[in-house]
Amino acid sequence: MKRLNPTKLLSSSGWFVLVLVLLTCVSPYLFSMEDASAPQVDLGIIVTHTEAEAADVLRQLNAGMDFSVLAAEKSIDHTASAGGYMGHVSPAQLPSALRDALIGRTTGQMTGIVPVTSGFAILKIFSKPPVEEDLNGNHLKALIDSGAIHYGAFLDGSIEADRSLQKYPKPEGWEMDMHGTCEYRKQSYARSVERLSSALAVLKPGQAGNYKPTDILQGHMDLAQLYADKGTMEPSIKELKIALEIAETYAPKEVPNLLESIGAAYMHLSEMENGIYRHPSNIDILPPSDPKASFDRKEDSRQAIVYFSKYLAQNPDEIEVKWLLNLAYVTLGQYPAGVPPAYLIPESVFKSKENIGRFIDVAPAVGLDAMRAAGGVIVDDFENNGLLDVVASSMDECDPMMYFHNNGDGTFTDRTAAAGLSDQYGALNILQGDYNNDGCMDILIPRGGWEHPARLSLMRNNCDGTFTDVTVASGLGKVATATDTAVWADIDNDGFLDLFVGNENSPAQLFRNKGDGTFEDISHAAGIDRIAFTKGVTAADYDQDGFVDLYVSNWGGPNFLYHNNGNRTFTEVGRLAGVQAPWYSFSAWFFDYDNDGWPDLLVNSFFQPVGESILSYVGKPFNVETMKLYRNKHDGTFEDVTVKVGLDKVFMTMGANFGDVDNDGFLDIYLGNGNPSYTALLPHALFRNKDGKSFVDITASSGTGELHKGHGISFADLDRSGNEAIVANMGGMVSGDEHALRVFKNPGNQNDWINVHLVGVKSNRSGVGAEIKLTVSDDGQAPRTIYRVEGQSSSFGANPTEQHIGLGHNAQILALDVSWPASKIKQHFTGVDKNQYIEIKETSNEVKKLVRPRLPLGAPANGTKTATVEPAQHS
């Protein structure tokens, strides 16, 4: 914000210009012309309608809340959007009442309440103007335009397939028909392939009349992409080679891109022929546990090396192709020894500094190795039997979601059809919530992300193992939007979960739950209907005023933080709170990473050049944004601690989530990386939280560095061992990139834990928004506190609503406190045992102990589940 100099304005333009500027651009309170040359200060103002409102604002300010954020939220002055900033002015220019109130005040101090014409004012002398923004999109755009950020080959066919669908004739309202969309997708694809292949069969460069050689080149590249979309790599490679021959004569600038594309196509073909997508192994975990392990069928990997080497002979410094070359040698069992030294990316750059044990993929053994394209995953108890079921979606518009029933013996059975979910096609993300407070978890299915507007679905859980589509009856099915993100939150504390949906290039939507099974759209009235390309939404009461707030992460623009005003309206304060970055954001979540009782915010960056991620890994300068970890400063603003905690690397993160993998009470994070292209082979990343002070990369030692696409991620104690496994949807965006689910079983540890299931009465039934506070002592040390908030999860991956909480080693629970959002009830329990499953009801003075069997994943166990009540002391 540019500072104004009234003295300069006066000397150059006279009284009229000065008065006009001060009245219209700065504040209506700057109209006194006395002593304009007096010392100037950066001044802020908050104006309220009533003295009682001003007193409440002053109370919050004295309690430590940030002046600028409160100005944006509470002030009726037009400077509110600027954080109350009036400019760099002289107090002598103020009306006498305000000028007198500032007497004796110095930098950083505030006045009391001052009556003014339009209400009641509070002034503050800023030490510096409020923050303007914490990101610079223009800088990133300049780097892209200059070529400093290099995009490599992009091979997957999704763009070409989507273009075919958009051009295909469709009836009005087609986007509301899931089954029709599937058919249009099939028909449009087949027609495009047939027409393009027929045309190219007779078109030759120099012999094609009005067609330029570059037109024919593009045609072969488009056809290659369409074949790649379905994973038919042999014809894709054939078309790419024809394109390469044309490019060598007519378009030499395309040659590097085609060399990389052919290498990537051979690499993908090699993986498919060796069954790595259907039956993943340790070869696609980086670094491989056995460096000598290799594919059985090696020829296509060798061909990939040939083309990557040709590329590097022309462009030896291109880090993305070096990376792919190294991975090709991994499939031959020749990494690192066989990689030419000039192109070697050493294994040491991935080495973990700590080791909590190695996770093992048990998905095939437990019946969860279903093939999925990119999609979401939910782990939760959908049948109210104490066992965690698994639901997985796929963005393939002809692919239904899948429901896996927990058999109670460590295995799962596909019961999609029996559950009534087999006709729910295509969804990049899914999330659960008990919207009607019947105690049974329902499912929301947003659709259309990255592609086209589509209907969402609300599937009501019938409490008998089946679901019913109530989208239309609930009032949610009126408008089709492109989205893959939403969040359930009780915005008005009426005991019912409302729904906030983030859309792509259309207004966000807020649906108020009316409590009768229906919703009303209050988006515009609530002030949240900004238009952005939104990729993530999450919710938390970040300022602890008793009302849940909303955060929106956007791809290609500033992010939004909507403060809940307590009256079903919101004020956007992202800039003033310091949480607008990254410019290219994706998954996001609130979580209390440092256990100080205040929700912090993690926002993942999604910048798609693979090379930037590898530069980050090898410790070389990179050009793009890292993720952001914002620490809550307890005053309505956040501090960017990304560098301080060791998360300042470039991760191309899509699906991601958090959980406590070592039961130390601090939340760890797992990042699912990649982009739609077959060239985007990047290891997922597991970070251990070190006492809320830093994060340590334990990917290599834990064996969780899967190289294929990362989408929905869930942390859950699947086997009731007291340790959280990681359930990951690994599929890519196109059907040719489908991948089996991964279930990384936790190696276990010696730390204690507790699992808390909340039951709301006056608050929403599943307790979303309730805070759990545990006071524990580890190994006889001084007490410490651990905080969890029910309902907090990633915007791209759904953890169970029950709270698994690590306690540390040899722990003793000194107290367990629960604060409920709607009733404001605060429960305090002592005498609670560790290493058990408990249930706490909002109006109860007892802790109910749930006895659940141990269910070894992949090794069925006998036993039945029972429930008993063992009261703990309550006050």
Side-chain angles (χ1 to χ4, degrees), residues 284-298:
D284 54 342
I285 297 288
L286 196 78
S289 57
D290 180 3
K292 295 183 179 180
S294 66
F295 285 170
D296 292 331
R297 302 174 65 177
K298 299 180 175 62

Side-chain angles (χ1 to χ4, degrees), residues 592-743:
D592 186 0
Y593 84 92
D594 54 0
N595 275 331
D596 66 353
W598 292 75
D600 310 298
L601 180 62
L602 189 141
V603 192
N604 285 290
S605 173
F606 187 63
F607 222 99
Q608 298 189 41
V610 174
E612 292 291 325
S613 294
I614 305 305
L615 287 171
S616 170
Y617 264 110
V618 300
K620 292 186 177 181
F622 52 85
N623 301 290
V624 302
E625 302 165 293
T626 69
M627 70 172 75
K628 290 292 184 180
L629 178 61
Y630 293 113
R631 185 185 68 82
N632 195 319
K633 294 169 62 178
H634 310 178
D635 64 355
T637 69
F638 293 78
E639 174 192 5
D640 181 355
V641 295
T642 313
V643 175
K644 183 185 299 185
V645 302
L647 290 177
D648 54 329
K649 282 188 175 182
V650 178
F651 295 100
M652 197 183 299
T653 302
M654 298 178 291
N657 219 321
F658 59 90
D660 187 356
V661 294
D662 54 358
N663 283 342
D664 66 351
F666 291 94
L667 291 167
D668 314 298
I669 60 177
Y670 186 61
L671 309 176
N673 299 317
N675 70 42
S677 176
Y678 293 150
T679 60
L681 298 170
L682 290 168
H684 297 193
L686 180 61
F687 281 87
R688 183 188 181 206
N689 186 334
K690 292 279 291 181
D691 302 325
K693 299 176 181 178
S694 65
F695 287 83
V696 177
D697 189 336
I698 59 170
T699 307
S701 62
S702 65
T704 55
E706 163 69 52
L707 285 166
H708 295 109
K709 311 298 187 294
H711 285 94
I713 306 291
S714 294
F715 284 75
D717 183 8
L718 280 178
D719 56 2
R720 298 306 189 190
S721 65
N723 297 289
E724 289 188 301
I726 301 173
V727 182
N729 188 327
M730 313 301 306
M733 189 170 183
V734 297
S735 59
D737 205 11
E738 288 188 349
H739 196 288
L741 292 175
R742 287 277 207 177
V743 179

